[in-house]
Amino acid sequence: MPDTTIALREPGPAARRTTWFGRLRHVEPVTLLWAVLIAALLFLVAFPLLKLLAVSFETQGSGAFTLANYGTAYGRARYVEALLNSLTLGLITATIAVVLAVPMAWAVSRTDMPGKGFTWAVVLAAFVMPPYLGAVGWILLAGPNSGFLNLAWRWATGAEDPLFDVYSFAGLALVIALHSFPLVFIFVKSALDLVSSEMEDAANILGAGTWTAMRKVSLPLVWPSILGGFILVFLETIALFGTPAIIGIPARINVVTTQLWQFFEYPVRVEVAAAYAMPLLLITVGLIAAQRLVLSRKGFVSQTGKGGERRPIRLGPWRWLLFGWCAGVGLFAVALPLLVLIQASFAKAWGRGLTLDNLTLRDYRLLLFEHEMALTSVWNTIWFSGVAATLAVGLALLIAYIVARKLVPFGEALGFLAMAPFVIPGIVMAIGFYAAYAPPPLALYGTATLIILAFTARFLPIAYANSTAAMRAVHPEMEEAARILGSGRLHAIRHVTAPLVKKALLGGWLIVFIVASRELSAAVFLVGPRTRTMSVLLYDLSEAGNFEVLAAFGGILLVITMVFVGIGMKLVGRDFMLRRT
Amino acid sequence: MQMITRRQLAAMAAAMAAMGTGAAGAQEMPPHERELHEAARREGEITWYSGQYSAEGSEAVGRAFGERYPGVRCNVVRSTSQVAFQRLSQDNRAGVAQCDVFSSTDFGHYSLLKREGRLLKYRPVNADGLLPALRHADPDDTYQSSFIGLYLLAHNTRKVSEAEAPKSWTDVLDPKWRNQLAVGHPGFSGAIGIWAVQMRKMYGWDYFKRLERNRPLIGRSSIDPVTVLNAGERSVGVAVPSGSTLLSIERGNPLRLIYPTEGVLATISPSAILRNAPHPNAAKLFMEFTTGPYLSQTVRLLYGESLRPDVPPPEGSRPLDQITLLAPTQEEAEKGVPEVRELWRDTFGI
Amino acid sequence: MSRLQLRGLTKAFGTLTVVDGIDLALEQGEFISLLGPSGCGKTTTLRMIAGFIEPNAGSIELDGERISSPGSVLPPERRRMSMIFQSYAIWPNMTVAENVGFGLKLRKLPAAEVKRRVREILDVVQMGHLAGRYPAELSGGQQQRVALARAIVVKPAVLLLDEPLSNLDANLREEMRFEIRRLHDEFRITTVYVTHDQAEAMATSDRIAVMNAGRIEQVDAPHMLYTRPRTRFVAGFVGRTNLLDAQLRGDEIGLAGFALRGEGVAGIAEARQGPVLLSVRPQSVRLHRAPPGTADGRLVLPGGIAGRVYLGEAWDYQVRVAEGEQQLRVAAPPSQVHEVGAPVWLGFDPEQMALVE
Ligand SMILES: Nc1ncnc2c1ncn2[C@@H]1O[C@H](COP(=O)(O)OP(=O)(O)OP(=O)(O)O)[C@@H](O)[C@H]1O
Ligand SMILES: [Mg+2]
């Protein structure tokens, strides 16, 4: 074999002569890259959180150690009550979300229900709609005296009392659940997709009907996903700022986020806010631990493998009932709020209803051509979200890679860090960023950089989960095959792994982009006058109670989002947002 | 500006003609403004944290400023006054200067800022043309009057007749108004804080305990009740700004203002230049704009009160000299607003 | 100098030592199989050779250069090897030709040269007509051929294969076995082939290294392994055998009820006196209806058929030796039919017996 070594250096005496050089040859140059990544993670996640922890023990001004902040933070019944309110709200909301989503997921994944595409669109639309816009929509729908639903109800039944009061605990929970159930849906559907029909067949042959098989076999098999979705919604809910501010204040429900906001009133008490946020972190960490514990005992559907043969279950007439359920959720989560918002955005005075003389383009004109900040905020939103999504996906991919390939001994810790922001309420994250990077030496307060970094950190978990799933789908041998043929690790990643995960990553990018573009709680403490995003401007607008302008601006935000969703569907396939992320 | 009726346009034209200012170009600028304009142009922009005028009003002021002084852009950061102050405090805490001019309806903010030495002393030439009562807001000239807010009662005429409607501040405490009232929040709105201080001064905190029993719908801004009334969600608004209410009436909403028998809450609030303002010349120019006729001309179209004798008050608003004005002193405001904010949260739970 | 040399190669995962002091040397152009039961550490060994796993002890040398030792592992891409994976790892985003040309492009060969070599090698594996296809459009066997072509085309110093045929059906597996051997005969690439299928190992290899629990039990040519197993494990794992307890006394192997002359029995020279283990291949015993006329000095014993299974290619008889309790399995051609219970005579061929440890 004369030309064995075509272009590879023939090992000669040189390689053996100097031992350190020989050693160097054995070191992968990319090790340096891993070090950089770890530093980035520490900067984005660990440092702000540690800073938050440290600050919670500092005396304002002097910086001396104190426990007083905890005393202040939990020294008043009202503050403790806000925490309890948040927890209760989280539980109720998550329960509602599960109740809404699980039948839909089962119907779409396992049955012959008609209108699956429609249901899919409902879930997507509910996911894409910013929660605070939904909240405004629901105020217009279910204000006890003026909401269209309640007016219709009174008109139809002659009743005195409203059908549903949005300014209530139930109202707050329902409105949040109507915009967070897609998380449960995504989790449960993708798990159900992996349950092979044979599992149900096996139950059927033993005498279980469709209903029993679903209850006793399919659903228990996807129990971890249901639990996962539940926890996710719970966390989203306690981290939400916009909806509680818009509905919770009139409903007189103080929650953690609105309470944190109060600690930022003059004089800004970051220390107390930090102390107040700590138990929240403990609770979420505890939840995740509990989930692990519950799940470790039994075998469940494998999340990675392919299911066996799958057939839709024939439901007969029941399928219309299920369809009705999905359509109902669509009506309340998407169609009605959207309709009233659109009506309001074109109305001179939204309370006067839909009449020709009430129509105007005034608010759109104001926003698009006259409002000094509106278009700037649109542009800010797009580029902040775009850069953050790129950073998050890039970082997440490399971390997922390190962890999946076990390249560093403490890879699990890296993965944990990348997932950590997941359990940190966005507003806490923002306070951490404020404490760590707003003041000198970095003095990033109000700059685009700070907002982008905060977005990157906040949505790193989404990107990471997405990248991990993508990495899992690529057999390590794919890459090893390239390496043994002479391709270095980075070369192999670029030419083999990256093309294989490209679509999944693009999907991940778009999801991060979309959620970042509507993110409020992480942005509201960090923006400066010229770096306000659409969501913050919307929040500012909502402070002045002008629902017409607010609705019009929401309309613009939705149009922009839809454009990106459209791009995503075109490039990645129409279910890109609904794959398990 | 799309919301101007033809009648108003005529009135405005007449007023401008009378004063000879018109849609002023740079050449008609008085020398002191021209000088400042030159310097401000080099700075290019000014950032204005404002809680004084409505979102629409603030935007209109920002635009009018930019039109009058080409090359100087006004970044309007409009929020409720307490939120604006919160932003300012956050900036300060972070050691970052972003704000040039700060405008709040809670005039207690200014004595605090002044004491901390965070305000820049500047006497606008145009301030001499203000209403006599507004001319010297601060003997040391660290802040200047920029806003007269009138806060009163309003009702939805479809839900409550004029005869039934409450006549005084204490009327709304009647249990018959249970679930019918709407009000802003002192934790957000500066004016509501001032109003609460004034009510406490007149009736003690008991006023709010009784108000709470009527379960008012609590918004954030003092403008929120107007929206709520428009929708018919509630029938009586407490401490609503006259300007926003009048604008809303003009747009066809069935509202009516009630001048309480005890008097109208008036917040005569100033604006100030921050000592660390990144654009000091533009900020000074903005103060000239504010105290000059230009701001008053702009805001009166949105039913904001005029600050100058040479600009007529907005239509439909009673002239100031015909009403009783209620207001706490500045000291009372500075000390009282944080107190009533806490009390409010204890009483109302939010 | 050997092309590839493993010295005391050891790997432990945590406390579990899965590869335990392996020594192995491959000559240039040699084809060696690692054969052993599941979990015995074959893949781990192979991946250490490839540079994907760092050893805990021992070393690997390629052409005399140390490429793996604890704390210092030359990355796979610098080893001039290529590998065929159990999953084939054909990149689904590249066509057949792109897959095969990948390694050549890495070596910065001119495009025309790459094209020529790809075409040549694809013809060799009979895939020339499918060069433009994507892997998803290929059958399992075709993917296997692509993997082979991709690994061979770069003319590696060492070719590594990890159970490359285990995903194929029986017929295809047999066909590919010969294909692999044919390619080896054509290119003479030094090859390490991992399998747990002895037929596969026998069909392809120059030598087979039988592994058990992380150690190499024996390295030998296939026929030597079969006829001269040195350990009980090898005797049992490679082909079927009768393992009989015996006593070695001088030149005689004493079994329950009878004795055997040790002359010609493998391993007799090395064996210690006393209790030993005798491996008797089923094929080494001949069955006769009547006492054979000429025994050539071989041992002949009477016995009876205790049971039988017809396997198509052969009969598998259970034969009880008349004297003593010994039962033996004996393979006989399909034409030799003995009824259960019928008396038979057993003729032993010492050439196919071995004393094992
Ligand atoms: N990364 C690892 N961590 C821990 N144990 C491992 C790891 N890889 C392999 N093992 C263990 O090492 C032992 C040998 O594994 P190896 O894959 O080398 O076996 P094998 O001989 O290739 O088996 P098979 O024929 O089933 O492929 C097994 O017991 C396996 O469980
Ligand atoms: Mg293996």
Side-chain angles (χ1 to χ4, degrees):
Chain A
M1 208 161 61
D3 54 354
T4 296
T5 54
I6 306 166
L8 290 168
R9 201 153 61 84
E10 188 71 56
R16 261 166 289 161
R17 200 171 44 221
T18 47
T19 48
W20 72 266
F21 181 74
R23 288 233 160 210
L24 213 61
R25 215 165 93 79
H26 287 206
V27 170
E28 285 189 44
V30 283
T31 316
L32 198 70
L33 181 67
W34 308 152
V36 171
L37 275 182
I38 292 164
L41 261 186
L42 292 178
F43 182 82
L44 279 178
V45 182
F47 186 68
L49 286 183
L50 290 177
K51 181 75 184 173
L52 199 66
L53 182 68
V55 158
S56 77
F57 291 109
E58 278 175 14
T59 313
Q60 178 156 15
S62 71
F65 177 87
T66 178
L67 287 172
N69 298 320
Y70 287 87
T72 316
Y74 288 93
R76 302 196 59 164
R78 212 174 67 222
Y79 302 168
V80 179
E81 195 187 323
L83 183 66
L84 295 179
N85 278 343
S86 267
L87 299 182
T88 320
L89 185 66
L91 290 177
I92 296 179
T93 305
T95 308
I96 300 176
V98 165
V99 171
L100 291 178
V102 172
M104 297 176 79
W106 184 70
V108 170
S109 174
R110 310 296 291 129
T111 74
D112 64 345
M113 183 190 74
K116 286 188 186 175
F118 163 80
T119 305
W120 173 87
V122 163
V123 175
L124 181 65
F127 183 59
V128 162
M129 183 122 136
Y132 39 82
L133 266 193
V136 173
W138 269 91
I139 288 178
L140 306 184
L141 278 176
N145 299 311
S146 64
F148 293 121
L149 286 182
N150 287 321
L151 289 178
W153 165 257
R154 286 206 178 88
W155 175 81
T157 64
E160 279 284 300
D161 290 328
L163 175 66
F164 186 71
D165 180 1
V166 71
Y167 296 119
S168 64
F169 215 97
L172 189 55
L174 183 72
V175 170
I176 300 176
L178 280 173
H179 292 282
S180 48
F181 79 88
L183 295 169
V184 183
F185 178 93
I186 294 168
F187 268 57
V188 177
K189 179 184 171 292
S190 45
L192 280 171
D193 283 349
L194 296 175
V195 178
S196 103
S197 289
E198 287 161 9
M199 297 274 186
E200 281 150 1
D201 295 349
N204 290 343
I205 214 96
L206 292 173
T210 301
W211 179 242
T212 317
M214 187 223 9
R215 260 184 328 118
K216 301 264 170 168
V217 177
S218 323
L219 286 189
L221 275 173
V222 297
W223 176 230
S225 313
I226 298 179
L227 206 60
F230 182 93
I231 291 180
L232 197 52
V233 173
F234 176 88
L235 294 174
E236 279 289 313
T237 304
I238 60 174
L240 213 53
F241 176 66
T243 313
I246 292 171
I247 293 180
I249 290 174
R252 302 222 212 150
I253 301 164
N254 195 22
V255 295
V256 164
T257 44
T258 43
Q259 183 57 47
L260 279 170
W261 174 260
Q262 288 177 24
F263 290 132
F264 267 71
E265 284 170 0
Y266 179 85
V268 179
R269 289 178 289 174
V270 188
E271 295 80 10
V272 179
Y276 191 66
M278 283 303 144
L280 215 55
L281 287 186
L282 290 184
I283 289 169
T284 48
V285 169
L287 260 180
I288 304 284
Q291 184 204 19
R292 290 250 159 110
L293 215 67
V294 171
L295 299 187
S296 62
R297 281 179 34 228
K298 280 194 205 167
F300 296 97
V301 83
S302 128
Q303 302 289 1
T304 50
K306 277 228 156 62
E309 181 228 13
R310 303 188 67 256
R311 269 174 289 105
I313 297 168
R314 303 179 64 94
L315 289 177
W318 290 100
R319 64 193 209 274
W320 293 106
L321 185 79
L322 264 182
F323 178 72
W325 180 259
C326 297
V329 173
L331 188 69
F332 289 113
V334 181
L336 288 177
L338 208 55
L339 276 178
V340 290
L341 280 174
I342 291 173
Q343 183 264 339
S345 76
F346 288 108
K348 286 181 184 145
W350 62 271
R352 276 169 45 202
L354 250 182
T355 52
L356 258 183
D357 68 324
N358 192 24
L359 281 183
T360 177
L361 284 174
R362 179 190 71 202
D363 297 307
Y364 284 100
R365 202 172 54 215
L366 170 78
L367 288 167
L368 291 177
F369 303 112
E370 293 162 11
H371 197 285
E372 199 271 322
M373 194 55 211
L375 284 186
T376 310
S377 78
V378 169
W379 169 238
N380 282 347
T381 301
I382 292 179
W383 87 265
F384 293 176
S385 309
V387 176
T390 309
L391 286 177
V393 169
L395 196 59
L397 176 67
L398 291 173
I399 300 166
Y401 181 84
I402 299 185
V403 174
R405 299 287 187 268
K406 301 191 169 53
L407 293 183
V408 289
F410 43 93
E412 290 300 313
L414 283 189
F416 176 80
L417 266 188
M419 284 309 281
F422 180 80
V423 301
I424 302 165
I427 203 157
V428 176
M429 194 86 184
I431 297 171
F433 265 76
Y434 179 85
Y437 300 127
L442 290 188
L444 290 177
Y445 181 66
T447 61
T449 313
L450 186 61
I451 299 163
I452 289 170
L453 289 179
F455 281 3
T456 307
R458 170 114 165 84
F459 300 116
L460 191 60
I462 297 182
Y464 181 69
N466 183 282
S467 303
T468 312
M471 286 306 303
R472 232 188 274 130
V474 181
H475 200 297
E477 290 184 353
M478 288 287 174
E479 204 180 294
E480 288 168 356
R483 295 202 62 198
I484 197 77
L485 285 175
S487 133
R489 191 180 286 279
L490 289 182
H491 183 271
I493 294 179
R494 211 172 69 234
H495 290 275
V496 173
T497 315
L500 291 177
V501 298
K502 197 169 59 191
K503 266 197 169 184
L505 290 188
L506 191 58
W509 189 92
L510 280 160
I511 295 175
V512 173
F513 179 88
I514 289 166
V515 293
S517 70
R518 54 180 229 202
E519 171 68 8
L520 175 61
S521 54
V524 77
F525 287 110
L526 304 175
V527 293
R530 298 301 300 170
T531 50
R532 279 180 291 169
T533 61
M534 291 185 82
S535 55
V536 175
L537 198 63
L538 258 168
Y539 178 74
D540 283 352
L541 287 172
S542 84
E543 281 212 309
N546 188 337
F547 285 149
E548 293 88 357
V549 182
L550 193 62
F553 201 44
I556 297 173
L557 177 59
L558 278 180
V559 167
I560 291 173
T561 313
M562 289 324 289
V563 167
F564 278 89
V565 170
I567 294 173
M569 290 194 206
K570 192 103 193 129
L571 293 181
V572 196
R574 66 170 202 166
D575 68 332
F576 79 98
M577 308 252 311
L578 300 187
R579 283 191 210 121
R580 192 195 157 97
T581 56
Chain B
M1 267 191 303
Q2 67 293 339
M3 58 290 283
I4 306 172
T5 63
R6 204 176 293 133
R7 202 155 47 97
Q8 287 173 318
L9 212 67
M12 183 177 161
M16 284 182 171
M19 292 174 296
T21 45
Q27 59 272 43
E28 296 166 57
M29 253 181 242
H32 68 278
E33 285 182 34
R34 199 170 327 146
E35 215 170 285
L36 273 176
H37 185 203
E38 276 312 306
R41 226 212 274 266
R42 282 192 291 279
E43 293 166 355
E45 59 178 4
I46 171 210
T47 297
W48 178 35
Y49 284 14
S50 169
Q52 286 182 344
Y53 294 95
S54 67
E56 270 172 299
S58 303
E59 288 297 328
V61 168
R63 253 188 336 268
F65 176 79
E67 278 159 21
R68 176 162 176 83
Y69 307 109
V72 192
R73 185 183 58 187
C74 179
N75 301 323
V76 180
V77 185
R78 201 281 163 187
S79 58
T80 50
S81 292
Q82 298 301 353
V83 172
F85 191 53
Q86 181 174 336
R87 282 213 170 109
L88 194 66
S89 313
Q90 259 170 257
D91 293 357
N92 188 44
R93 180 78 206 266
V96 174
Q98 309 199 92
C99 173
D100 293 301
V101 174
F102 173 69
S103 301
S104 163
T105 49
D106 178 355
F107 41 77
H109 288 154
Y110 294 91
S111 24
L112 192 142
L113 290 170
K114 181 179 170 187
R115 205 173 43 247
E116 292 185 351
R118 289 170 54 196
L119 300 182
L120 185 80
K121 183 177 164 143
Y122 178 67
R123 171 78 191 171
V125 176
N126 291 348
D128 293 335
L130 290 171
L131 289 167
L134 308 185
R135 243 169 243 171
H136 292 281
D138 175 22
D140 300 323
D141 278 320
T142 55
Y143 47 86
Q144 307 294 336
S145 302
S146 62
F147 173 70
I148 301 177
L150 300 181
Y151 296 84
L152 21 66
L153 297 167
H155 68 105
N156 179 316
T157 52
R158 279 202 216 128
K159 309 203 99 184
V160 174
S161 71
E162 202 172 322
E164 278 178 287
K167 309 277 182 290
S168 71
W169 291 113
T170 44
D171 279 358
V172 297
L173 302 180
D174 191 314
K176 77 171 177 182
W177 298 116
R178 191 173 154 85
N179 286 332
Q180 302 223 34
L181 305 175
V183 68
H185 192 302
F188 294 86
S189 164
I192 297 297
I194 300 290
W195 169 72
V197 169
Q198 180 64 24
M199 291 296 114
R200 183 176 67 157
K201 187 168 138 192
M202 288 159 62
Y203 306 110
W205 189 253
D206 196 47
Y207 181 86
F208 291 96
K209 290 192 176 148
R210 290 172 64 195
L211 184 65
E212 196 276 331
R213 270 176 240 144
N214 276 346
R215 317 246 359 127
L217 187 68
I218 300 171
R220 281 170 286 165
S221 166
S222 59
I223 305 172
D224 277 339
V226 180
T227 317
V228 168
L229 292 191
N230 286 345
E233 181 59 52
R234 294 287 168 123
S235 22
V236 175
V238 184
V240 295
S242 68
S244 300
T245 314
L246 289 169
L247 183 65
S248 190
I249 293 169
E250 186 215 283
R251 289 187 182 164
N253 290 296
L255 304 190
R256 195 181 71 90
L257 277 176
I258 305 165
Y259 285 81
T261 49
E262 299 97 323
V264 172
L265 181 88
T267 60
I268 300 177
S269 329
S271 294
I273 305 174
L274 275 298
R275 180 180 279 285
N276 60 1
H279 313 106
N281 289 305
K284 286 175 185 164
L285 186 61
F286 191 80
M287 294 302 275
E288 295 290 355
F289 178 85
T290 306
T291 50
Y294 328 109
L295 175 114
S296 294
Q297 281 160 9
T298 308
V299 298
R300 81 175 284 282
L301 301 176
L302 293 165
Y303 299 95
E305 296 295 330
S306 162
L307 305 172
R308 293 171 63 98
D310 53 2
V311 179
E315 296 200 14
S317 178
R318 287 192 201 168
L320 290 178
D321 50 10
Q322 292 173 27
I323 48 180
T324 320
L325 298 180
L326 306 171
T329 66
Q330 193 162 6
E331 294 76 62
E332 284 170 336
E334 190 197 344
K335 197 164 135 333
V337 170
E339 286 169 11
V340 298
R341 216 159 56 191
E342 273 302 293
L343 284 168
W344 178 285
R345 289 193 167 128
D346 287 337
T347 304
F348 290 88
I350 187 73
Chain C
M1 186 171 62
S2 307
R3 164 131 282 195
L4 185 71
Q5 176 105 41
L6 316 186
R7 293 184 208 273
L9 198 62
T10 299
K11 178 71 197 175
F13 292 108
T15 54
L16 178 73
T17 304
V18 299
V19 175
D20 194 358
I22 282 187
D23 294 299
L24 188 65
L26 275 85
E27 295 311 312
Q28 157 65 39
E30 196 178 18
F31 192 126
I32 282 199
S33 286
L34 297 182
L35 175 68
S38 186
C40 71
K42 307 180 295 287
T43 298
T44 309
T45 308
L46 197 72
R47 292 171 61 80
M48 279 196 279
I49 297 174
F52 292 119
I53 299 182
E54 181 181 325
N56 294 108
S59 65
I60 302 171
E61 286 163 26
L62 181 67
D63 293 326
E65 187 203 7
R66 175 173 290 206
I67 54 173
S68 275
S69 58
S72 170
V73 174
L74 186 72
E77 61 268 24
R78 304 224 187 107
R79 297 193 164 213
R80 302 178 291 131
M81 299 182 178
S82 61
M83 184 160 175
I84 294 176
F85 298 85
Q86 206 166 349
S87 67
Y88 312 148
I90 303 294
W91 303 305
N93 54 325
M94 304 181 197
T95 62
V96 166
E98 285 165 347
N99 262 285
V100 174
F102 186 89
L104 296 175
K105 281 198 198 124
L106 270 174
R107 283 156 180 72
K108 308 236 159 43
L109 260 59
E113 173 75 2
V114 171
K115 229 170 138 182
R116 188 182 60 76
R117 289 228 212 160
V118 167
R119 209 175 43 237
E120 272 175 23
I121 197 75
L122 283 179
D123 286 340
V124 170
V125 297
Q126 297 150 26
M127 289 286 296
H129 56 300
L130 299 176
R133 289 254 189 116
Y134 279 94
E137 304 156 348
L138 299 178
S139 73
Q142 289 168 334
Q143 291 192 23
Q144 182 63 75
R145 286 169 193 274
V146 176
L148 270 170
R150 186 176 71 183
I152 291 171
V153 73
V154 297
K155 307 202 170 153
V158 178
L159 175 65
L160 307 171
L161 301 97
D162 187 1
E163 309 213 20
L165 306 184
S166 60
N167 283 340
L168 303 178
D169 66 49
N171 287 333
L172 200 53
R173 208 179 301 170
E174 201 146 319
E175 184 188 326
M176 289 306 295
R177 240 179 241 172
F178 293 113
E179 183 75 17
I180 288 171
R181 183 67 215 187
R182 180 177 70 82
L183 290 171
H184 183 257
D185 289 341
E186 188 166 342
F187 295 101
R188 302 230 60 89
I189 299 171
T190 312
T191 303
V192 182
Y193 186 104
V194 160
T195 179
H196 60 254
D197 180 334
Q198 51 166 307
E200 221 169 278
M202 298 226 173
T204 52
S205 316
D206 298 325
R207 287 194 296 157
I208 296 175
V210 180
M211 284 185 71
N212 181 32
R215 295 169 180 278
I216 291 186
E217 298 256 343
Q218 185 174 353
V219 190
D220 249 325
H223 69 278
M224 293 296 284
L225 274 185
Y226 190 79
T227 53
R228 299 228 172 291
R230 276 212 291 274
T231 67
R232 178 198 188 108
F233 177 81
V234 174
F237 191 75
V238 181
R240 289 178 305 131
T241 195
N242 297 290
L243 279 174
L244 309 177
D245 287 314
Q247 289 286 333
L248 183 61
R249 268 176 255 100
D251 200 16
E252 275 223 332
I253 302 167
L255 290 140
F258 62 94
L260 200 70
R261 283 211 292 125
E263 192 186 327
V265 173
I268 189 99
E270 303 90 35
R272 258 184 281 112
Q273 295 288 314
V276 289
L277 207 56
L278 180 69
S279 158
V280 179
R281 294 282 179 200
Q283 288 80 356
S284 70
V285 181
R286 204 155 287 235
L287 294 182
H288 306 273
R289 276 180 208 288
T294 53
D296 295 340
R298 292 179 186 174
L299 176 67
V300 177
L301 292 172
I305 302 290
R308 63 175 191 180
V309 177
Y310 182 58
L311 297 174
E313 290 175 357
W315 280 104
D316 180 8
Y317 288 108
Q318 295 269 22
V319 185
R320 189 180 312 108
V321 181
E323 293 153 67
E325 292 301 296
Q326 289 287 1
Q327 279 226 10
L328 291 179
R329 297 178 73 176
V330 176
S335 56
Q336 277 195 30
V337 186
H338 302 275
E339 299 303 324
V340 174
V344 287
W345 276 261
L346 301 91
F348 290 87
D349 175 7
E351 290 295 317
Q352 300 217 33
M353 294 183 201
L355 284 179
V356 299
E357 289 162 15

